[in-house]
Amino acid sequence: QVQLVESGGGLVQAGGSLRLSCVASGTIFSSFDMGWYRQSPGKQRELVASITSGGSIHYADSVKGRSTISMTIDNVKNTLYLQMNNLKPEDTAVYYCNAHWRVHDYWGQGTQVTVSS
């Protein structure tokens, strides 16, 4: 049973920073493709960033070029991080951690990020 637990969300002012964490259990962490997604009210869930089991990182076009958003992974701690600096109101969403292996997808419960203007 794969479990993903996100944390680190909260309410920040525009320009502020947050670091989201996703701790995975019940799996060989390094064998999975991992990713962060977000969903704003009334919108579809969208990819923010992903990392393959081989370590290749991909950022969505919506955040690509923003040097203030970066994803890292700690295979020893089974933890995926999303560092977000200089946050904007449009970054407001529920952020979800995803683990993908073959045809299986696992999701965390999500963590709310709210950026006030």
Side-chain angles (χ1 to χ4, degrees), residues 3-14:
Q3 289 188 324
L4 304 172
V5 179
E6 303 101 331
S7 62
L11 172 64
V12 296
Q13 292 185 334

Side-chain angles (χ1 to χ4, degrees), residues 61-79:
D61 289 343
S62 58
V63 300
K64 193 180 296 183
R66 291 178 60 180
S67 59
T68 55
I69 291 182
S70 64
M71 184 174 66
T72 57
I73 194 166
D74 186 329
N75 286 317
V76 175
K77 295 183 178 180
N78 276 12
T79 303

Side-chain angles (χ1 to χ4, degrees), residues 55-110:
S56 297
I57 295 178
H58 166 76
Y59 292 98
D61 289 343
S62 58
V63 300
K64 193 180 296 183
R66 291 178 60 180
S67 59
T68 55
I69 291 182
S70 64
M71 184 174 66
T72 57
I73 194 166
D74 186 329
N75 286 317
V76 175
K77 295 183 178 180
N78 276 12
T79 303
L80 183 72
Y81 301 98
L82 186 69
Q83 177 68 46
M84 301 187 292
N85 302 322
N86 193 23
L87 283 161
K88 304 177 180 181
E90 53 262 42
D91 294 316
T92 294
V94 178
Y95 284 71
Y96 296 92
C97 180
N98 171 265
H100 176 79
W101 182 69
R102 295 188 178 180
V103 298
H104 303 287
D105 269 298
Y106 303 92
W107 296 92
Q109 82 287 351

Side-chain angles (χ1 to χ4, degrees), residues 12-64:
V12 296
Q13 292 185 334
S17 298
L18 286 172
R19 188 176 80 155
L20 307 184
S21 300
C22 170
V23 179
S25 60
T27 180
I28 302 175
F29 190 67
S30 59
S31 298
F32 280 64
D33 297 334
M34 303 293 297
W36 285 101
Y37 289 73
R38 65 185 181 186
Q39 187 167 19
S40 303
K43 295 186 178 180
Q44 289 188 329
R45 192 172 297 187
E46 64 173 359
L47 174 70
V48 178
S50 63
I51 182 168
T52 68
S53 58
S56 297
I57 295 178
H58 166 76
Y59 292 98
D61 289 343
S62 58
V63 300
K64 193 180 296 183

